[in-house]
Amino acid sequence: MLYRATTNLVSTIIFSAFFIFTGMAQKPQWTIGMSQCNLGEPWRVQMNADVKKEADKHPELRVIFKDAQNDNLRQRAHVEEFIKAGVNLLIISPKEAAPLTPPVKAAFEKGIPVIVLDRRVLGNDYTCFIGADNKKIGKAAGKWIVSRLGGKGNVVELKGLMTSTPGQDRHSGFIEAIKGSNVKVIFEADMKWLEPNARREMESALARFKEIDLVYAHNDPGAHGAYLAAKAAGREKAITFVGIDGLPQEGQMYVRQGILSASFEYPTGGREAIQTALKILRGEKVSKEMTLPSRVFTKENIDKGGEWLKE
Ligand code: FRU
């Protein structure tokens, strides 16, 4: 009896000590502030999920997420709050380059390491930029379109927010690639990355032009919005739709369904952001620029996992 009581007591003490010890070991050592410009599109929800999934593997990290709801001023305030709270590191996916540059610079100058994800800020006052090469994606899309149209055709370009860097680069890369061909942009509009805007702009394009061969949208929600407008007008079969992002549950699914003919992958960089954050927090050196690879998904290659873009 006494023996059993003693062993019970000893095991309780051992167990408690173990839990206290592991509890201490599990306590987050570093806090990361993650400022997301909006969570209105599946791609950004995926970015946060990728950040969380990777961070969850590291009990020494705690990530605080803030969603700016597509509002520059709110995002500025979020960065200022993170600075005041004394986070150990900041990850930001900024809405627009110019308005988010000063708060990022302020954090960086205070000694808070900053990882800028996907859209850029102006200048060099941050620790590391992570994203795919949007100019290269725009160029690859342009080349694919010229070849698909046999060097000639009427294109509608639905641009992403042109005050954000991916919109600028996806446009300039595309224009470079179609130069010298007879592929013409007959209608262009800034749909600001948003599907309802793309749908509305496409309605105008359809009303103005009898012959539209292809829509190049800077993201998959934009391409899908254009498809819906064309479908409502009974013209979707005559038009080819191309988008960017290539999420399994969005662009890749549209390609499988035959809605999009091509979707170019734009990786979220969420996993890489956490891996880089850990290196920085541990005092390791990281390079200023991390360029992520991208693939194109078409009906022909989707079952094989797409095709990587070449240099
Ligand atoms: C989501 C999104 C993506 C696009 C990225 C560019 O907000 O519009 O569709 O690829 O932002 O920054």
Side-chain angles (χ1 to χ4, degrees):
M1 196 58 180
L2 181 65
Y3 173 73
R4 182 172 288 171
T6 318
T7 40
N8 276 350
L9 183 67
V10 169
S11 50
T12 311
I13 291 169
I14 291 173
F15 267 116
S16 316
F18 175 75
F19 279 120
I20 290 167
F21 176 74
T22 50
M24 270 163 47
Q26 299 284 307
K27 214 171 147 232
Q29 182 184 351
W30 292 302
T31 300
I32 296 177
M34 164 72 197
S35 168
Q36 180 59 271
C37 60
N38 85 82
L39 281 176
E41 293 129 283
W43 190 84
R44 299 214 166 261
V45 174
Q46 187 61 49
M47 183 197 274
N48 275 18
D50 292 344
V51 166
K52 184 172 181 322
K53 188 170 171 211
E54 190 63 21
D56 283 350
K57 296 183 194 159
H58 302 279
E60 68 272 36
L61 294 181
R62 181 164 63 128
V63 183
I64 300 172
F65 291 88
K66 287 185 195 274
D67 166 19
Q69 297 170 34
N70 228 2
D71 178 342
N72 282 317
L73 284 180
R74 187 173 288 134
Q75 193 164 25
R76 278 180 83 135
H78 284 169
V79 174
E80 281 153 14
E81 283 161 29
F82 280 140
I83 298 175
K84 251 195 222 137
V87 293
N88 301 102
L89 184 142
L90 176 72
I91 301 175
I92 179 169
S93 192
K95 177 175 175 186
E96 280 172 278
L100 273 313
T101 298
V104 163
K105 188 173 182 321
F108 185 66
E109 281 174 354
K110 277 221 155 70
I112 300 174
V114 186
I115 296 175
V116 180
L117 251 188
D118 135 62
R119 299 185 189 170
R120 290 176 189 273
V121 289
L122 307 173
N124 288 314
D125 296 311
Y126 55 85
T127 312
C128 172
F129 172 80
I130 301 176
D133 183 340
N134 283 297
K135 181 124 187 190
K136 180 170 160 179
I137 293 174
K139 253 192 205 166
K143 273 194 198 156
W144 189 93
I145 288 166
V146 171
S147 139
R148 172 70 180 235
L149 294 178
K152 182 174 177 297
N154 293 341
V155 171
V156 167
E157 184 182 6
L158 296 174
K159 298 180 199 161
L161 185 68
M162 288 306 276
T163 42
S164 70
T165 52
Q168 296 159 2
D169 293 345
R170 290 175 195 183
H171 171 69
S172 63
F174 169 70
I175 294 299
E176 230 174 80
I178 65 167
K179 219 188 217 155
S181 76
N182 282 319
V183 170
K184 300 264 171 295
V185 178
I186 53 163
F187 181 97
E188 55 185 298
D190 190 336
M191 50 83 179
K192 302 188 166 74
W193 304 118
L194 301 175
E195 174 158 346
N197 293 350
R199 186 172 179 163
R200 220 174 308 120
E201 294 296 350
M202 186 63 185
E203 281 165 6
S204 310
L206 288 161
R208 273 180 56 192
F209 296 97
K210 287 259 154 318
E211 275 182 32
I212 298 172
D213 299 304
L214 186 144
V215 173
Y216 165 52
H218 288 191
N219 67 359
D220 290 334
H224 188 246
Y227 168 84
L228 292 180
K231 191 163 193 258
R235 289 172 62 182
E236 84 282 8
K237 293 209 169 65
I239 303 173
T240 299
F241 297 87
V242 175
I244 297 172
D245 276 348
L247 287 179
Q249 68 274 31
E250 195 183 41
Q252 291 185 46
M253 187 184 78
Y254 294 151
V255 168
R256 284 184 195 283
Q257 293 171 339
I259 291 174
L260 300 190
S261 295
S263 175
F264 289 77
E265 180 187 35
Y266 189 54
T268 69
R271 179 167 46 100
E272 292 80 359
I274 289 298
Q275 291 167 347
T276 307
L278 267 172
K279 283 192 188 156
I280 296 169
L281 290 166
R282 288 177 185 145
E284 293 167 35
K285 246 194 114 40
V286 299
S287 54
K288 186 104 188 170
E289 185 92 10
M290 182 188 274
T291 309
L292 305 174
S294 168
R295 285 172 285 184
V296 56
F297 297 103
T298 61
K299 210 186 199 118
E300 294 73 38
N301 71 24
I302 193 149
D303 287 331
K304 289 177 260 154
E307 193 186 327
W308 293 101
L309 303 192
K310 293 178 199 81
E311 276 322 300

